[in-house]
Amino acid sequence: ELLVSLSGVKRPHFLFISAASGDDPDYIKAIVGEFKKLGCTTDELTIVRFEHFISKEYIKDKILNTDIILIGDGDLTKLLKIIHHFALDKMLAEQIAGDKVLAGIGAGAKVLFTEAVTGKYHSPEDDSVKFNLEKGMGFIQGIAYSDDNPTDSKLFTDWFKGKVSLKNVPAFVFSSNSALLMEDGSLHAAPPGAKHTVKLLGVKNNK
């Protein structure tokens, strides 16, 4: 409902990008069905299914004729590869410039940031845990990380304090059911009044 209201359109055109899920038909049906109930005209962009045949022109036409775009959850690394291969970031940037609504769930939300954490690994050089970062679309300045369990969250916080703060961007640690809304350049919890469940690690004091 929030996304529909933000569009400012009586019957908005909704587009679901399901690439991270591998274009899972049940996932598409569930998401699209919810927006139909909200009075939207709906469409889906199934890139993975037709990856070797689909054109950038086709994708751009789909994206530019919408009021609301939602990027779904799934495999973050797969989603990032598709975004960079088809230059989706440039297409979506045009939508944002035109005051359209762009949103993401899970992996689909992480790709909106400058960088996203895609995994962790053990470094034998200094016997420490490090985290893999991959370039996102950069619509929100910061590093996106999911707080999947307390142990990993502490490891990430320690790693960020020691290694990543020099990049001069904050890290956003998302817990379950957390949400952020960027409107007119300002970030706040979404929906308005909701409990803020996103931990921000600042670049100067790491608080």
Side-chain angles (χ1 to χ4, degrees), residues 71-116:
I71 307 173
D73 195 10
D75 188 318
L76 176 57
T77 300
K78 179 191 298 182
L79 178 58
L80 285 167
K81 286 181 180 178
I82 288 173
I83 286 171
H84 297 312
H85 178 72
F86 289 100
L88 291 183
D89 51 342
K90 295 179 181 178
M91 300 180 197
L92 294 171
E94 292 185 41
Q95 283 294 88
I96 295 174
D99 292 328
K100 304 299 184 179
V101 177
L102 174 62
I105 304 171
K110 293 176 188 175
V111 297
L112 302 178
F113 288 78
T114 310
E115 293 179 290

Side-chain angles (χ1 to χ4, degrees), residues 24-51:
D24 180 273
D26 292 333
Y27 186 39
I28 294 172
K29 183 178 179 180
I31 295 293
V32 169
E34 288 300 313
F35 280 85
K36 282 183 178 178
K37 292 177 186 177
L38 295 172
C40 297
T41 58
T42 62
D43 198 1
E44 59 269 0
L45 179 57
T46 50
I47 298 176
V48 175
R49 200 178 301 173
F50 307 104
E51 185 174 354

